[in-house]
């Protein structure tokens, strides 16, 4: 009779242990198109079901000066389940013109890394976006009289 009770207690203990933390990383840049001499904000969010989340693993970004501008965190405990997120914010200053790619950003133990992000640096922020292939640019000047 002792063996079934021991097996029952072992099973109960194993189900009470927390599962391994599920950690996800997402990232966003705003704006994705900026002028040389301007700045963009890169927000990297690490979230998971653990109160202790790892720092993001930032890739080298030689096309930009990268400056940390802090982080903010959120923690909730609902029905015994922990949910947390930390948003790490970085300021990006472009070092040249062109289209650049910020690679996927991960974190130690993360199940999912962020998607890569495209950033375009132009000479002047007010320059119009390029016309799509085969679509003529709208005419400039006064609107025709009706």
């Amino acid at each position: 009779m002792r063996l079934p009770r021991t097996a029952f207690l072992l099973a109960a203990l194993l189900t009470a242990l927390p599962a391994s933390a599920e950690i996800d990383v997402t990232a966003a840049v705003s704006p994705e198109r900026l002028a040389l001499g301007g700045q963009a904000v890169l927000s990297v969010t690490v979230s998971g079901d653990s109160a202790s989340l790892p720092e993001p693993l930032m890739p080298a970004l030689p096309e930009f000066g990268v400056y940390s501008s802090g982080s903010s965190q959120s923690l909730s405990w609902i029905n015994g389940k922990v949910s947390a997120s930390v948003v790490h914010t970085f300021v990006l200053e472009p070092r040249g013109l062109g289209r650049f790619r910020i690679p996927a950003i991960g974190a130690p133990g993360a199940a999912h890394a962020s998607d890569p992000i495209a950033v375009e640096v132009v000479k002047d922020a007010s320059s119009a976006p390029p016309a799509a292939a085969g679509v003529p640019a709208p005419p400039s000047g006064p609107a025709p009289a009706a």
Side-chain angles (χ1 to χ4, degrees):
M1 193 70 179
R2 216 153 167 58
L3 184 60
R5 188 174 3 169
T6 306
F8 175 76
L9 289 174
L10 181 60
L13 284 173
L14 288 176
T15 57
L17 293 175
S20 63
E22 176 79 20
I23 299 172
D24 290 317
V25 180
T26 58
V29 171
S30 179
E32 291 181 353
R33 183 173 192 216
L34 68 150
L36 188 61
Q39 295 180 334
V41 175
L42 171 62
S43 299
V44 180
T45 304
V46 179
S47 58
D49 55 4
S50 169
S52 176
L53 295 171
E55 296 284 321
L57 300 171
M58 292 297 294
L61 300 172
E63 300 88 3
F64 299 95
V66 181
Y67 308 96
S68 175
S69 68
S71 63
S72 63
Q73 55 188 353
S74 169
L75 176 69
S76 66
W77 190 300
I78 301 173
N79 294 330
K81 184 175 179 179
V82 174
S83 177
S85 66
V86 180
V87 179
H88 301 269
T89 308
F90 302 90
V91 175
L92 304 179
E93 291 184 346
R95 294 185 172 150
L97 300 173
R99 290 179 174 253
F100 304 105
R101 183 175 170 268
I102 297 174
I105 300 171
H112 305 285
S114 72
D115 292 330
I117 303 170
V119 177
E120 183 179 12
V121 180
V122 295
K123 187 173 184 178
D124 181 7
S126 65
S127 43
V135 177
S140 59

